[in-house]
Amino acid sequence: MTNLRFQVVGEAFKKKAVEVKAPAERPYEYFGKKVFNREKMYKYLPKDVYEKMVDVIDNGTRLDRSIADAVAAGIKQWAVENGVTHYTHWFQPLTEGTAEKHDSFIEHDGKGGMVEEFSGKLLVQQEPDASSFPSGGIRNTFEARGYSAWDPTSPVFIMDDTLCIPTIFISYTGEALDYKAPLLRTLRAVNVAATEVCHYFYPEVKKVQSNLGWEQEYFLVDEGLYSARPDLLLTGRTLMGHDSAKNQQMEDHYFGTIPNRVQAFMKDLEIQALELGIPCKTRHNEVAPNQFEVAPIFEETNLAVDHNMLLMLLMKKVARKHGFRALLHEKPFAGINGSGKHNNWSLSTDTGVLLHAPGKTPIDNLRFVTFIVETLMGVYKHNGLIKASIMSATNAHRLGANEAPPAIISSFLGKQLSELLDHIEASDTEELFSMAGKQGMTMDIPEIPELLIDNTDRNRTSPFAFTGNRFEFRAVGSEANCASAMIALNSAVAEALNNFKARVDALIAKGADTTKAIIDVVREDIKTCKPIRFDGNGYSDEWVAEATSRGLDVEKSCPVIFERYLDKASIDMFESLGVMSQKELEARNEVKWETYTKKIQIEARVMGDLSMNHIIPVATHYQSKLLKNVENMRSIFPKEKAETLSARNMKIIEEIAERTAIIEKGVEDLVNARKVANKIESEHDKAIAYHDTVAPLMESIRYHIDKLELIVEDDLWTLPKYREMLFIR
């Protein structure tokens, strides 16, 4: 085996599962071991400081900086007892990843020695270089100051020997340069708006919380195979590669037996995640080969977002320990399902879940319908913005590919709920209504117990489906920060609830009964948001036409979709709620367009490099071997027989010549298209140029490369093939 490809494939076959020793305790006993949670706060903080911290976390009161030193002392004591030597402000800049700068606890003692110190000042804020992170022009190179500020609602945690402090990240002039700051603002907005509406039904409600339960899909590939694919290494996806003869068509991978090496990886990942307070609950094989999923129990949205970002970091680290690379790109392999991140979203009060039905009383049911309808109102009014919140250069490969929701936002409610809303819309009375709960279904097999059937089915083609007591936002990308979708969704719902309350209060002020006023406004909103409701096949061409007629956003171009952030309705909503200013929105869009351009630019460069330095040399080398074979045949056999015997080789020789010529011309066109696009000054226009002129050329080049893979001699092909990457254990 002289080919590197064969060497790494051979090594992959030899790999065994890494033994993972679980802690002696049961999972609930070591859950949160590395987190400064309430249990640790109670132990390490003075009683009055503990009570003030609980008030900040539970009630959103402003943190009193006077207690910062006491909190820092308690955290430091706990951290040092756990072997910590460094600390970092852990934040989420607009890079889609996380950022951290580690500082040690040591300081000069003034006597020529060192002491370990960690003050409240160091806990509360630091000053990262804001000009070195994407800012959309808010910060220039000569305007470097930015601030990271502690978020006490998300507990500090330990990674290796470092104390990690979740923080927001803002510019010197106060604009948010991260995802957490606007997320916290929108969570406060939805809390205020939803609590006010709750008081129509339950005056005792004090707080409404947005909840999130994400489902993280990912691929695993052997590290050696990953390293032998420059496209995977540099772009996160395979820019070329012919389908494997067997991929997912047998439907035998989904929920199948987890391979031993993967099981060991999952076990290791879960142990470390549980120690960090991430409540992992589910693990299984996904639809595509080598694709898997991990999902936690739902949590408060801010904490859930932090935990998802932390888990993705942890996943990559643990995967390497087991000889894998974790792939979070939405479409690392063509021809099989890509990866998403389903965001199960709901609202709950300090007394119960607002989207849970059926209720025990008619008022409960009216509350349920009110919050369902106003959620639909927010999604309907801002369906283009909500699509923009989950769109990216990578997720664009997955959406609308008959494996994930289409790039059109709609909501599936199920038969019972749809019929209920239709009944309310058509009724001219102010009657309250009841809803059926789960129904029993008895099988004709005596040994099988009665099954409880949900009052809604599932629709896998719907991007925003109601699934019993929550909405499942299925269009979020695998490598995305969940905060982007949650900022848009919670803001849209908060605005809808504020609007709902203003109209109900106006009717009450005119003398209307409260219940009648609520039903009248709900009925009006049911009619208004009806276009967003769709229970059919989201993959059909007919739906695209129908969605267009309904006035829904059907745009597919990623850079154009980003424009929805700058619609007047979007700016007005974000500014009125205090989530983001127009300046912040404009800056973020500059970052989005620039990021899109750079990702396509990198892919195009890698495509050109692999085409000219891998594919064409290999193909022409094989072509030379065939030419030598034809030459030898002609020297041995009579002319006619030689022509007959070498006909197949001549056909392949000609095909290689034709396809390599097309690839060379394609690469030349690709380079020229990039040069033209790169001269465009506007980030918006440049991104559109890359989408319209550069990206399509790569697909054309890939087509011919994949055809060459089928005809070039196997032991000459240098890049690991799909059949090797997707089925090696």
Side-chain angles (χ1 to χ4, degrees), residues 265-305:
F265 157 78
M266 288 179 168
K267 180 179 179 180
D268 200 353
L269 177 65
E270 285 184 4
I271 291 170
Q272 295 191 45
L274 288 169
E275 288 181 338
L276 287 165
I278 306 171
C280 292
K281 183 171 180 67
T282 302
R283 64 188 186 199
H284 64 82
N285 288 5
E286 255 299 332
V287 172
N290 272 20
Q291 187 187 34
F292 308 94
E293 180 179 297
V294 58
I297 301 169
F298 76 90
E299 302 176 282
E300 184 275 327
T301 295
N302 179 44
L303 184 58
V305 169

Side-chain angles (χ1 to χ4, degrees), residues 38 53-61 151-154 184 186-199 202-211 299-303 346-354 367 371 497:
R38 293 196 187 205
M53 283 296 298
V54 169
D55 190 36
V56 170
I57 296 168
D58 288 348
N59 302 316
T61 56
D151 170 19
T153 63
S154 184
L184 292 174
T186 194
L187 295 179
R188 180 174 179 80
V190 80
N191 170 29
V192 172
T195 300
E196 289 293 320
V197 173
C198 270
H199 288 164
Y202 318 117
E204 70 277 11
V205 167
K206 298 178 181 178
K207 177 182 178 181
V208 173
Q209 174 176 286
S210 167
N211 299 317
E299 302 176 282
E300 184 275 327
T301 295
N302 179 44
L303 184 58
S346 189
L347 295 174
S348 64
T349 70
D350 45 339
T351 60
V353 179
L354 291 176
R367 172 267 309 158
F371 278 91
L497 290 170

Side-chain angles (χ1 to χ4, degrees), residues 610-635:
L610 290 180
S611 297
M612 303 306 294
N613 296 311
H614 283 255
I615 305 305
I616 290 180
V618 167
T620 52
H621 179 59
Y622 181 52
Q623 184 184 50
S624 297
K625 288 183 67 174
L626 294 179
L627 284 168
K628 185 65 174 176
N629 178 268
V630 170
E631 182 181 342
N632 290 340
M633 283 186 175
R634 287 175 177 173
S635 67

Side-chain angles (χ1 to χ4, degrees), residues 534-594:
F534 178 64
D535 291 357
N537 180 10
Y539 294 159
S540 68
D541 293 336
E542 291 79 10
W543 168 231
V544 178
E546 184 179 340
T548 303
S549 68
R550 293 185 182 194
L552 301 182
D553 191 312
V554 298
E555 179 61 57
K556 295 181 179 180
S557 168
C558 183
V560 175
I561 290 170
F562 289 152
E563 295 174 8
R564 300 287 72 77
Y565 272 98
L566 300 180
D567 288 346
K568 185 178 185 302
S570 300
I571 294 172
D572 289 347
M573 175 187 72
F574 285 126
E575 289 195 329
S576 67
L577 296 173
V579 173
M580 284 184 282
S581 67
Q582 181 170 343
K583 181 179 180 181
E584 288 173 307
L585 290 168
E586 289 172 345
R588 282 165 187 266
N589 260 32
E590 287 292 302
V591 173
K592 287 178 180 292
W593 285 317
E594 184 178 4

Side-chain angles (χ1 to χ4, degrees), residues 35-144:
V35 181
F36 195 72
N37 52 24
R38 293 196 187 205
E39 178 187 357
K40 314 289 194 325
M41 287 167 53
Y42 186 81
K43 179 179 178 180
Y44 288 92
L45 300 182
K47 183 179 179 181
D48 62 325
V49 174
Y50 168 79
E51 290 174 349
K52 289 181 179 179
M53 283 296 298
V54 169
D55 190 36
V56 170
I57 296 168
D58 288 348
N59 302 316
T61 56
R62 186 174 295 278
L63 176 68
D64 183 355
R65 288 189 66 135
S66 66
I67 68 171
D69 283 334
V71 176
I75 291 175
K76 174 177 169 288
Q77 181 184 348
W78 167 73
V80 170
E81 289 174 5
N82 284 274
V84 169
T85 58
H86 290 68
Y87 65 92
T88 182
H89 273 203
W90 186 77
F91 56 97
Q92 301 165 28
L94 302 179
T95 58
E96 299 297 332
T98 58
E100 53 196 65
K101 182 192 73 168
H102 297 198
D103 288 305
S104 70
F105 286 142
I106 60 172
E107 298 286 349
H108 286 293
D109 66 356
K111 303 174 184 178
M114 306 295 290
V115 295
E116 287 191 332
E117 288 188 358
F118 182 60
S119 66
K121 179 182 178 181
L122 296 175
L123 169 66
V124 170
Q125 82 178 60
Q126 287 190 0
E127 298 183 8
D129 183 349
S131 68
S132 297
F133 292 97
S135 68
I138 287 178
R139 297 273 82 189
N140 294 307
T141 303
F142 61 89
E143 297 173 318

Side-chain angles (χ1 to χ4, degrees), residues 374-670:
E374 294 315 310
T375 297
L376 294 176
M377 278 292 290
V379 174
Y380 169 62
K381 180 178 179 181
H382 296 286
N383 71 94
L385 170 68
I386 289 173
K387 178 167 65 175
S389 75
I390 52 87
M391 184 54 72
S392 67
T394 54
N395 203 24
H397 291 285
R398 168 179 163 263
L399 297 180
N402 286 9
E403 65 189 56
I408 302 171
I409 299 298
S410 66
S411 183
F412 168 84
L413 300 179
K415 182 179 179 181
Q416 184 185 10
L417 185 50
S418 291
E419 288 179 349
L420 173 62
L421 296 189
D422 289 342
H423 171 73
I424 297 171
E425 178 188 355
S427 174
D428 58 359
T429 68
E430 309 311 327
E431 60 177 333
L432 293 177
F433 39 82
S434 62
M435 295 184 64
K438 292 187 177 183
Q439 305 297 312
M441 180 174 72
T442 303
M443 304 290 289
D444 57 1
I445 306 172
E447 295 82 1
I448 302 298
E450 181 183 52
L451 303 179
L452 293 179
I453 307 303
D454 289 280
N455 55 23
T456 62
D457 198 354
R458 286 180 179 265
N459 185 326
R460 307 307 292 177
T461 72
S462 176
F464 195 72
F466 183 69
T467 55
N469 59 3
R470 64 193 183 278
F471 282 95
E472 184 179 16
F473 193 5
R474 301 184 62 249
V476 183
S478 173
E479 68 178 5
N481 188 322
C482 294
S484 179
M486 294 298 97
I487 290 167
L489 177 59
N490 280 294
S491 296
V493 173
E495 182 191 55
L497 290 170
N498 284 336
N499 181 269
F500 169 83
K501 185 176 188 304
R503 288 181 291 146
V504 170
D505 287 350
L507 292 177
I508 294 173
K510 294 179 181 178
D513 173 75
T514 299
T515 299
K516 181 181 186 304
I518 292 171
I519 293 176
D520 284 348
V521 176
V522 164
R523 180 178 292 120
E524 180 182 336
D525 287 351
I526 289 173
K527 296 176 183 177
T528 300
C529 71
K530 198 166 187 177
I532 204 69
R533 291 162 46 195
F534 178 64
D535 291 357
N537 180 10
Y539 294 159
S540 68
D541 293 336
E542 291 79 10
W543 168 231
V544 178
E546 184 179 340
T548 303
S549 68
R550 293 185 182 194
L552 301 182
D553 191 312
V554 298
E555 179 61 57
K556 295 181 179 180
S557 168
C558 183
V560 175
I561 290 170
F562 289 152
E563 295 174 8
R564 300 287 72 77
Y565 272 98
L566 300 180
D567 288 346
K568 185 178 185 302
S570 300
I571 294 172
D572 289 347
M573 175 187 72
F574 285 126
E575 289 195 329
S576 67
L577 296 173
V579 173
M580 284 184 282
S581 67
Q582 181 170 343
K583 181 179 180 181
E584 288 173 307
L585 290 168
E586 289 172 345
R588 282 165 187 266
N589 260 32
E590 287 292 302
V591 173
K592 287 178 180 292
W593 285 317
E594 184 178 4
T595 300
Y596 178 88
T597 295
K598 288 178 178 178
K599 287 193 174 184
I600 304 301
Q601 186 181 71
I602 292 169
E603 288 186 352
R605 287 174 173 170
V606 174
M607 172 69 82
D609 174 37
L610 290 180
S611 297
M612 303 306 294
N613 296 311
H614 283 255
I615 305 305
I616 290 180
V618 167
T620 52
H621 179 59
Y622 181 52
Q623 184 184 50
S624 297
K625 288 183 67 174
L626 294 179
L627 284 168
K628 185 65 174 176
N629 178 268
V630 170
E631 182 181 342
N632 290 340
M633 283 186 175
R634 287 175 177 173
S635 67
I636 296 173
F637 297 105
K639 181 178 180 180
E640 290 186 4
K641 189 170 185 178
E643 292 298 328
T644 300
L645 293 174
S646 62
R648 178 179 178 277
N649 283 354
M650 285 302 300
K651 184 178 180 181
I652 296 174
I653 290 167
E654 291 174 3
E655 182 175 351
I656 290 174
E658 291 170 358
R659 294 196 186 281
T660 54
I662 293 172
I663 292 169
E664 287 181 332
K665 180 62 166 60
V667 171
E668 181 183 347
D669 292 343
L670 189 63

